[in-house]
Amino acid sequence: VEKRRAKRLKEEHEVKITIISDGRKHPEEKVLCCRSNDLSVLGTKIQVNYYLPVNSLIKMDFNLSDLYHKITAVGKVKWIKALFGDKSYEAGLEFVNSPPEDVEKRLSYISGKSK
């Protein structure tokens, strides 16, 4: 039984992420490249080689296959699990504080690709 609240697009994208807040007083502004392979209007799942504490805020810039869609979002880490020791992780992020036009862009991209 599918418990998801939103349709998921199983398509891999390169994502540039910037850590905004990770629970420390002054987080290092790290810019990392990772992969997203499960995108919805509400969030995404990423693979990254850096541990992201739960509740960290992450700015994400998606490099989409469709050049007309530039998606930038802020996500909150909801869960993280190690894939290969401390070398690779998978994390679930929920999009937060999204302006309506950003939500519309994600919806438009996902529904266009799902046809």
Side-chain angles (χ1 to χ4, degrees):
V1 177
E2 180 63 51
K3 294 189 294 187
R4 304 259 179 224
R5 294 180 294 155
K7 187 174 189 64
R8 301 226 160 226
L9 182 61
K10 301 284 188 187
E11 180 179 87
E12 199 166 277
H13 303 105
E14 279 186 28
V15 184
K16 186 174 78 176
I17 64 173
T18 308
I19 299 168
I20 299 171
S21 149
D22 64 2
R24 291 183 285 186
K25 278 204 187 312
H26 304 288
E28 296 174 49
E29 183 160 303
K30 283 194 180 333
V31 176
L32 307 162
C33 284
C34 68
R35 295 197 117 10
S36 160
N37 52 14
D38 191 350
L39 178 65
S40 86
V41 176
L42 302 174
T44 189
K45 181 171 68 176
I46 61 170
Q47 280 190 298
V48 64
N49 58 4
Y50 183 80
Y51 180 80
L52 301 167
V54 169
N55 293 326
S56 297
L57 287 179
I58 311 294
K59 178 178 173 261
M60 296 173 279
D61 293 299
F62 290 84
N63 185 4
L64 302 175
S65 55
D66 175 345
L67 297 178
Y68 299 108
H69 288 87
K70 170 93 173 90
I71 294 179
T72 297
V74 174
K76 181 186 254 186
V77 177
K78 300 304 277 182
W79 57 265
I80 186 158
K81 67 178 182 184
L83 296 177
F84 304 106
D86 62 355
K87 302 274 187 269
S88 181
Y89 300 89
E90 192 172 71
L93 286 89
E94 176 183 36
F95 296 133
V96 294
N97 304 329
S98 294
E101 59 271 18
D102 288 358
V103 174
E104 190 56 44
K105 272 188 194 176
R106 289 194 298 264
L107 196 55
S108 167
Y109 182 77
I110 291 166
S111 60
K113 287 290 191 168
S114 299
K115 289 183 175 149

